[in-house]
Amino acid sequence: MEDKIKVIISGGGTGGHIFPAISIANAIKQLFPQAEILFVGAEGRMEMQRVPEAGYEIIGLPVAGFDRKRIWKNVGVLLKLLKSQRKARQIIKDFKPDVAIGVGGYASGPTLRMAAKMGIPTLIQEQNSYAGVTNKLLAKKALKICTAYEGMDKFFPGNKLILTGNPVRQDLLTYHLPKEEAVKQFGLNPEKKTVLILGGSLGARTINQCIMENLETIKSSDVQFIWQTGKIYIDQAKEAVKKAGDILNLHTTDFIKDMAGAYTAADLVISRAGAGSISEFCLLHKPVILIPSPNVAEDHQTKNAMALVNKKAAIYIKDTEAKEKLIPLILQTIHNEATLQELSKNIALLALPDSANIIAREVYNLIK
């Protein structure tokens, strides 16, 4: 009986929402192999590709995010929201889930709202240290709220909270290739220090521009770089690299499929401060320089970053200062073994392992 549970998982938009969602799905399948899992995402967003690649069915809603700067554009957004709620209702009616999980992102709002309205138990997973508007609204009807940070009772009812951490991709924790081999996979030299530059799954303008403007410095340095540009910036990045001539110490790609290998190869990581990424750095004990995105609701990435910086577990640079400071800081930090070790030791203390399994068990408790 319990193996035949039906679960809807809704949300997406960025890798920070999608990869934890897939990890939760995998953990549920591990506990209950006969479980049926249906994802509900937003049409045209990256979950529509990544979820089927992970082996799960997904249905898209025509939902879009609110335009906070051009309010007049939100008439169309409201119409899409109404259509999405109607479609979500029909999906729930057809699939008949035992529980609905929201992981954040455009689609989670209409899906979880309709699920709660139709009497389906709901669980939300808040990944950030500062709760988003959608999750704060959904929390009123949710039975459980899984968080990655302490002190979230300032946003949510304390009796619903459970500290789980953010689920990460399982392959990150089971990767066994030695560091030398991981470095070679990227066509780089195992004898040199390696910096991994991540702009998120879609890309980060400031980080990418900073690298493009400093290719000569990178080329002449004794450090090597794995640079994930994101799909939006890959053509621009390749053109800049082509103009700079052969840069043997730089591997450029739009998307890294083998993130476990990239992390293993890296002595230092440069990244935005998305909650999912931070959870991965904590679990893998990676020294990191964080450049929070200024283009997120409630500036929650800065709050995520400061939760680490205040415990001497990361280095922080403002987005507006990155072009001037990032490359010198990378070259200074990568050669300071004491700093790398301190960052690694402190970030390891913040790790919350086994998050996906804890959430999967909470899902089962809700159904039971």
Side-chain angles (χ1 to χ4, degrees), residues 84-232:
S84 295
Q85 287 181 347
R86 283 198 297 270
K87 190 171 180 180
R89 182 181 178 82
Q90 192 59 50
I91 291 167
I92 293 162
K93 201 174 171 184
D94 293 342
F95 186 66
K96 299 181 177 64
D98 296 297
V99 66
I101 302 168
V103 295
Y106 301 147
S108 66
T111 308
L112 271 282
R113 186 171 178 272
M114 292 312 299
K117 208 171 179 181
M118 294 167 75
I120 309 296
T122 63
L123 174 150
I124 57 177
Q125 198 242 333
E126 175 54 65
Q127 295 153 4
N128 293 294
S129 60
Y130 192 93
V133 174
T134 302
N135 273 353
K136 281 192 273 191
L137 293 171
L138 294 174
K140 292 171 187 175
K141 299 285 184 183
L143 297 184
K144 279 288 176 187
I145 303 163
C146 298
T147 67
Y149 293 87
E150 294 173 341
M152 296 302 283
D153 51 356
K154 59 180 175 280
F155 304 110
F156 302 122
N159 62 325
K160 295 183 180 183
L161 293 178
I162 175 165
L163 183 67
T164 61
N166 282 323
V168 301
R169 293 168 269 200
Q170 278 93 337
D171 62 317
L172 297 182
L173 304 175
T174 56
Y175 192 82
H176 296 303
L177 204 63
K179 184 176 190 291
E180 287 185 7
E181 294 302 315
V183 172
K184 284 179 186 174
Q185 281 191 144
F186 294 94
L188 298 173
N189 183 353
E191 303 291 318
K192 291 187 174 183
K193 291 280 191 183
T194 303
V195 179
L196 174 61
I197 300 163
L198 302 172
S201 47
L202 301 175
R205 182 188 300 167
T206 302
I207 294 174
N208 287 326
Q209 285 180 343
C210 184
I211 302 305
M212 284 187 270
E213 290 172 15
N214 288 278
L215 288 173
E216 289 302 328
T217 305
I218 287 169
K219 190 176 181 178
S220 61
S221 75
D222 59 347
V223 178
Q224 55 197 5
F225 296 78
I226 300 167
W227 178 23
Q228 178 191 274
T229 66
K231 65 178 183 180
I232 297 169

Side-chain angles (χ1 to χ4, degrees), residues 18-19 22-23 25-26 39 49-57:
I18 297 162
F19 297 127
I22 292 170
S23 292
N26 291 342
F39 279 76
Q49 178 188 348
R50 301 292 172 209
V51 169
E53 284 176 356
Y56 294 101
E57 183 187 351

